[in-house]
Amino acid sequence: MKVLVINGPNLNMLGIREPGVYGNGSYNDLVDLIRRAAEEEGGDADFFQSNHEGALVDAIQQAYGVYDGIILNPGAYTHTSIAILDALKAVSLPAVEVHISDVSKREPFRQISYAGMACEHRIAGQGIQGYRQAVLYLKEKYATRL
Ligand code: DQA
C-alpha cells in the first residue's frame, strides 16, 4: 500500500505554531510518525506539504495512478477550497481527512469542510497521532479491497 500524505498551509510550522492547539511536535516528527506507522503496516508513505492551494491541487492530481490512498490535512483550505474538493473527486482515490485539532469545537468558520465532502473518513482532535489512525484506516481498506 502506497499512500500520499498531503499537508496544507502552516502545517510546516508545527511545534512553533499555537502549541496549545496543535501540540509541540514538529512537521518532521509528524513525518517520522507516519513513516513508522506505514512501515509497521507493510506500506509506504510519501509526503507533500505546501502553503499554496494550486500546489495542493497538483499533488492530488499527480497521485492518480501512483498511490492507493491519500491522507489529507488541507489546513485552512479545508474550509474554503472547492478546487481541492474537485481534485479529490477527479482522482477518486480513497482519502482520509485529518485535523490535529478538534475543529468541531472551534470557530463557526471551521465547521464547513469542502475537502471532507470527498473523503471517506475523518479524524480530528487526536493530535498528530490522528495521522497514524488514518494510515490504519487506509491499510484496512486496502487489505479488504476487491
Ligand atoms: C487544522 C484545522 C484548520 O482549521 C486550521 O486552519 C489548520 C489546521 C488542524 O489540523 O486542526 O491549519 O486543519
Side-chain angles (χ1 to χ4, degrees):
M1 175 191 68
K2 227 169 136 45
V3 296
L4 179 62
V5 183
I6 301 176
N7 280 290
N10 299 307
L11 289 155
N12 55 317
M13 295 293 282
L14 284 177
I16 298 166
R17 169 190 194 199
E18 299 180 83
V21 178
Y22 299 111
N24 294 308
S26 66
Y27 179 72
N28 285 340
D29 293 336
L30 175 67
V31 167
D32 287 347
L33 178 149
I34 302 168
R35 188 163 277 140
R36 267 201 307 277
E39 279 169 10
E40 278 163 23
E41 298 303 322
D44 232 333
D46 288 335
F47 299 86
F48 182 76
Q49 189 278 328
S50 178
N51 295 323
H52 304 279
E53 184 177 13
L56 298 169
V57 169
D58 288 343
I60 294 167
Q61 289 184 5
Q62 285 158 14
Y64 182 73
V66 179
Y67 293 95
D68 302 304
I70 293 175
I71 295 171
L72 174 66
N73 182 348
Y77 289 135
T78 305
H79 319 298
T80 61
S81 180
I82 296 167
I84 290 174
L85 166 63
D86 285 348
L88 289 168
K89 284 181 164 175
V91 300
S92 190
L93 285 166
V96 181
E97 174 187 15
V98 176
H99 298 287
I100 294 168
S101 66
D102 185 355
V103 277
S104 72
K105 299 213 168 72
R106 298 183 64 193
E107 302 95 325
F109 60 81
R110 294 186 207 273
Q111 300 312 312
I112 184 146
S113 170
Y114 290 104
M117 293 173 194
C119 292
E120 53 181 73
H121 191 54
R122 172 188 244 210
I123 297 159
Q126 307 295 314
I128 65 173
Q129 292 297 330
Y131 290 85
R132 172 189 292 280
Q133 293 175 30
V135 169
L136 297 179
Y137 176 89
L138 285 177
K139 165 67 197 313
E140 195 57 35
K141 167 103 193 178
Y142 185 72
T144 57
R145 73 194 183 284
L146 290 178

